[in-house]
Amino acid sequence: MTLTHEPSASASADELPAFPMARECPFSPPRAYRQMREERPVAPVRLWNGNKAWLVTRFDDVRKILADKRISNNITHPGFPVLYAARAAVMQQHGKPPYFHFMDPPEHTEHRRMFTQDFSVIRVKELEEEIQSIVDELIDEMLAGADRSADYVKAIALPIPTRVIARILGFPYADVAELQGMMNATSGFGQDPEVAKRSYTRLNDYVSELIARKEANPSTDTISRLISDQLHPGNIDRPGLIRVILFLLIVGHETTTSMIALGTLMLLEHDEQREKLIKDPSLMQNAVEELLRYLSIVHLTTCRVAIEDIEIGGETIKAGEGVVALVSSANRDASQFENPDVLDIERDARTHVAFGFGVHQCLGQTLARLELRITLNSILRRIPTLKLAQPIDDLKFKAYINGVQSMTVAW
Amino acid sequence: MRVVVNTSTCVGGGQCASSAETVFTQDDQGLVVLLKADVQGEEAEAARLAAFLCPSRSITVEE
Ligand code: HEM
Ligand code: HEM
Ligand code: SF4
């Protein structure tokens, strides 16, 4: 693409490059991001509905804009950059921010704090043994399967985080598979907006019944606590509670699934790095940060709308205009990470923005880190001969949250 | 070096408690608790990193 340096006002929206942009390499952000970082770090683009939005591509600017109090995450604001039709359809049904992720402080702070206790460093540490035994059990099952080969997504990457988040929230394990099917149908670029809406309604009904059951028979899980501490005193209404529980269920598993699958794939494709980790498992904590940085799988959700004019990167984002803070670009910014396109599990990658930045930074990051560390360590230790058993070019990728649909491995 | 935290803006993601565990922890709501206000050496390094990582800018360090 060509980048013009004229003021954006002179170009009408339909002359602008389209966003989202296609990737040339499934493991690298679109090549255009690099050019933007160098030449026009805050650049206008056109969305599917013809609206203009601004891309922010540099590490410092991405952190700055996401922590700026003059941006809003209110997805129902007319200027909010919604990236595809199915998402717009689901969001329009709500009419107001459906759960805390799309609220702004102080409302956001109040609602997010209903959940912070469940994902604190101390509480997550208490889950370590339980997560380890879920991982061990699933590895046992995979190894017991036929012909020393399996779909890694189905056997490992999807069930681990799904079981963990279902356990934290208090979903009956028997219902998890069915829920997964319904959740898949609510998201994705290619999804028919009508199918997305219907699936969302079915999910809603399921959670509504679950809440009713837990009201009748309380236990020690998160949903029971939310009913007594938040629903009954009136801090959140019933539809709001249903929506936020569904949101946590979805974000709690989809992202981590992708990271487990692609993280494993990266290690399988980098022999030297994998050997180092097998020799010295204490490198894993660092390796997880580097994999998060390198893959930046949640690369399109950090969209915002300016509520006041904001000067950044030599441009003025006007009140009411959309902004996309490209964390995948920030994580490949050479001014912060030397040789950013190289995977190096020994580099210090801790400052990455793969979990976002600002008040919406990932609530589940401590949990995600632990799940990744335990899973990757256990896989390398127990199946050191694991390899990809299909041509890498044939993998089918997912676009919105970067990931793979399936991945045949053998050992 | 002196560390100051602002619990009113904390969003409880735990970057502080995982990057400088002897300086910060979280209370039973998941909000930041300062364990030590005066830190030196390695702890000061870790606290500086935590201040950089804190997404809601709730941690400040004063040399
Ligand atoms: C472990 C797997 C892989 C890794 C780590 C990897 C990494 C990379 C890196 C670092 C670049 C250079 C990016 C840049 O300079 O901006 C690149 C370029 C590219 N990769 Fe991959 N890659 C992998 C697999 C694949 C596969 C399976 C495909 C095709 C299906 C692919 C297609 C491409 C293409 C087309 C480019 C050129 C992009 C351009 O024109 O700038 N890569 N890859
Ligand atoms: C490796 C896995 C994960 C990655 C890469 C990831 C990434 C992200 C990112 C980038 C954001 C910020 C989005 C934005 O600012 O627009 C976010 C928000 C969030 N994540 Fe994660 N996440 C992961 C796992 C999890 C898990 C396991 C949970 C568990 C519940 C979770 C819960 C959330 C929530 C609730 C938010 C919204 C926070 C808010 O708006 O205040 N995430 N995540
Ligand atoms: S890093 Fe900042 S926002 Fe996160 S828990 Fe610590 S003080 Fe709170």
Side-chain angles (χ1 to χ4, degrees):
Chain A
M1 73 179 235
T2 41
L3 290 162
T4 60
H5 288 265
E6 278 123 36
S8 57
S10 70
S12 77
D14 45 289
E15 291 163 31
L16 297 171
F19 187 82
M21 294 170 183
R23 288 176 174 232
E24 297 83 13
C25 169
F27 306 98
S28 311
R31 186 176 28 192
Y33 293 1
R34 171 185 306 171
Q35 200 182 345
M36 283 186 257
R37 281 196 302 275
E38 286 163 6
E39 296 174 11
R40 194 170 185 190
V42 175
V45 285
R46 172 176 46 86
L47 307 180
W48 62 280
N49 55 6
N51 285 359
K52 183 178 107 173
W54 293 92
L55 301 187
V56 178
T57 52
R58 285 186 184 163
F59 180 82
D60 288 342
D61 288 343
V62 163
R63 281 173 43 103
K64 212 182 283 166
I65 194 86
L66 286 174
D68 198 303
K69 294 187 171 63
R70 296 167 296 175
I71 56 158
S72 165
N73 206 17
N74 181 354
I75 197 165
T76 65
H77 185 294
F80 191 93
V82 181
L83 298 188
Y84 58 100
R87 191 171 184 84
V90 168
M91 290 305 159
Q92 272 155 14
Q93 275 187 321
H94 295 308
K96 61 174 183 162
Y99 35 79
F100 68 88
H101 179 51
F102 294 114
M103 295 172 186
D104 298 319
E107 203 188 5
H108 166 264
T109 320
E110 189 189 315
H111 281 254
R112 176 166 162 137
R113 284 181 179 181
M114 295 179 187
F115 307 92
T116 41
Q117 60 179 278
D118 299 301
F119 300 97
S120 73
V121 171
I122 295 169
R123 287 290 291 280
V124 168
K125 214 171 257 165
E126 289 168 3
L127 291 170
E128 183 156 359
E129 266 177 49
E130 206 169 330
I131 298 174
Q132 182 70 62
S133 60
I134 290 173
V135 170
D136 285 337
E137 195 181 305
L138 288 162
I139 294 178
D140 288 342
E141 277 172 31
M142 182 172 83
L143 291 176
D147 65 357
R148 302 176 71 84
S149 156
D151 173 5
Y152 191 76
V153 174
K154 214 165 147 197
I156 302 289
L158 184 59
I160 290 171
T162 311
R163 283 198 203 181
V164 172
I165 192 68
R167 148 74 176 73
I168 293 174
L169 294 175
F171 278 76
Y173 180 65
D175 297 350
V176 168
E178 194 194 341
L179 279 165
Q180 234 157 242
M182 289 191 265
M183 288 189 295
N184 271 346
T186 63
S187 59
F189 281 125
Q191 192 55 261
D192 176 341
E194 287 310 312
V195 174
K197 274 198 270 188
R198 267 203 307 282
S199 305
Y200 200 84
T201 308
R202 279 182 60 210
L203 275 169
N204 232 61
D205 295 345
Y206 172 86
V207 177
S208 172
E209 281 161 31
L210 182 65
I211 291 172
R213 269 185 282 149
K214 289 199 187 279
E215 268 182 307
N217 281 307
S219 84
T220 58
D221 55 49
T222 299
I223 296 180
S224 300
R225 194 200 77 233
L226 290 168
I227 291 169
S228 63
D229 294 4
Q230 310 295 350
L231 179 68
H232 289 165
N235 301 332
I236 193 167
D237 62 17
R238 199 169 287 263
L241 182 61
I242 295 172
R243 286 192 303 264
V244 75
I245 288 171
L246 278 174
F247 170 62
L248 291 172
L249 184 67
I250 293 171
V251 290
H253 88 284
E254 187 182 6
T255 47
T256 318
T257 295
S258 287
M259 267 311 296
I260 292 174
L262 294 183
T264 303
L265 179 61
M266 280 300 107
L267 297 179
L268 294 182
E269 297 299 304
H270 290 80
D271 294 341
E272 216 178 289
Q273 314 247 343
R274 186 178 68 254
E275 294 306 326
K276 275 187 202 160
L277 275 170
I278 292 175
K279 269 204 207 92
D280 182 2
S282 73
L283 290 172
M284 187 53 85
Q285 194 161 343
N286 207 61
V288 165
E289 298 307 320
E290 172 65 350
L291 289 167
L292 286 162
R293 177 194 76 84
Y294 194 81
L295 293 164
S296 295
I297 55 156
V298 183
H299 59 126
L300 292 174
T301 71
T302 38
C303 301
R304 303 290 190 266
V305 56
I307 47 175
E308 286 174 40
D309 290 2
I310 302 172
E311 305 239 342
I312 186 161
E315 306 283 347
T316 304
I317 299 173
K318 296 249 168 59
E321 288 182 334
V323 192
V324 185
L326 290 172
V327 297
S328 64
S329 173
N331 283 340
R332 297 289 183 104
D333 187 337
S335 70
Q336 180 68 14
F337 305 103
E338 213 177 301
N339 293 326
D341 296 316
V342 174
L343 180 82
D344 174 4
I345 57 156
E346 287 172 289
R347 83 158 78 225
D348 183 2
R350 189 68 173 79
T351 57
H352 68 72
V353 284
F355 288 119
F357 200 68
V359 297
H360 297 284
Q361 192 181 61
C362 186
L363 175 65
Q365 56 182 288
T366 309
L367 177 64
R369 286 181 162 114
L370 182 64
E371 291 182 72
L372 282 164
R373 185 158 57 75
I374 293 177
T375 305
L376 296 176
N377 255 334
S378 305
I379 290 287
L380 292 187
R381 181 170 46 80
R382 294 191 53 191
I383 329 179
T385 60
L386 190 77
K387 58 178 192 295
L388 185 65
Q390 71 175 100
I392 192 170
D393 307 350
D394 292 351
L395 290 171
K396 295 270 178 301
F397 293 92
K398 295 184 174 182
Y400 186 62
I401 306 282
N402 200 22
V404 271
Q405 319 237 350
S406 66
M407 186 171 121
T408 312
V409 292
W411 54 90
Chain B
M1 193 181 80
R2 253 194 102 64
V3 186
V4 179
V5 297
N6 180 356
T7 44
S8 70
T9 49
C10 172
V11 292
Q15 289 267 31
C16 53
S18 57
S19 58
E21 57 189 13
T22 59
V23 186
F24 306 96
T25 187
Q26 288 164 284
D27 67 13
D28 57 11
Q29 293 299 303
L31 302 185
V32 62
V33 174
L34 190 59
L35 295 171
K36 262 182 208 175
D38 281 301
V39 288
Q40 309 296 329
E42 267 179 38
E43 280 186 337
E45 269 315 298
R48 231 176 258 125
L49 173 64
F52 184 79
L53 293 177
C54 174
S56 63
R57 309 247 153 105
S58 303
I59 300 172
T60 40
V61 293
E62 293 155 11
E63 298 299 328

